[in-house]
Amino acid sequence: MTPREQAAFTAGIETARQMALAAAVTMETREDAREVRQQAAVAALHGLAAGLHAAFIAPSAETGPLHRIMATIATDPADSGTVECPTCKGQLSWRRDSYNGHLHAQCETDGCLRVMQ
């Protein structure tokens, strides 16, 4: 990944994180904010923002296992393949969407890593 591509990727992740936080704050100020489904949605948005930060933005993200795997897959010219899962060391199968080039990956272990770029 070139430095320009890396900067664009990081900016996109930060934008997604900020949007999740903005949506959570908006939901927290609604009249129905105390309803269970609204609280669950707010918690999910906060979790998404925290996960994006931990996986991609935190100082260790550039050397973190998920970042390295996604960078490796991004440079692979193949349309699909497998790599070792950074979480459980099982097989992480991935494929590149033929329409938009987005990467989709899922670990063979139930409940483990699943990623969509």
Side-chain angles (χ1 to χ4, degrees), residues 29-95:
T29 61
R30 291 172 44 144
E31 289 181 22
D32 61 349
R34 292 192 178 269
E35 289 184 17
V36 172
R37 68 183 169 93
Q38 298 298 346
Q39 290 176 349
V42 167
L45 288 165
H46 281 291
L48 172 62
L52 288 171
H53 184 268
F56 297 106
I57 297 174
S60 64
E62 288 188 22
T63 58
L66 183 58
H67 180 75
R68 284 194 309 267
I69 286 173
M70 293 303 285
T72 299
I73 292 171
T75 61
D76 191 322
D79 291 331
S80 63
T82 59
V83 294
E84 183 180 273
C85 177
T87 304
C88 73
K89 305 302 181 201
Q91 288 295 309
L92 183 71
S93 298
W94 64 270
R95 70 174 178 80

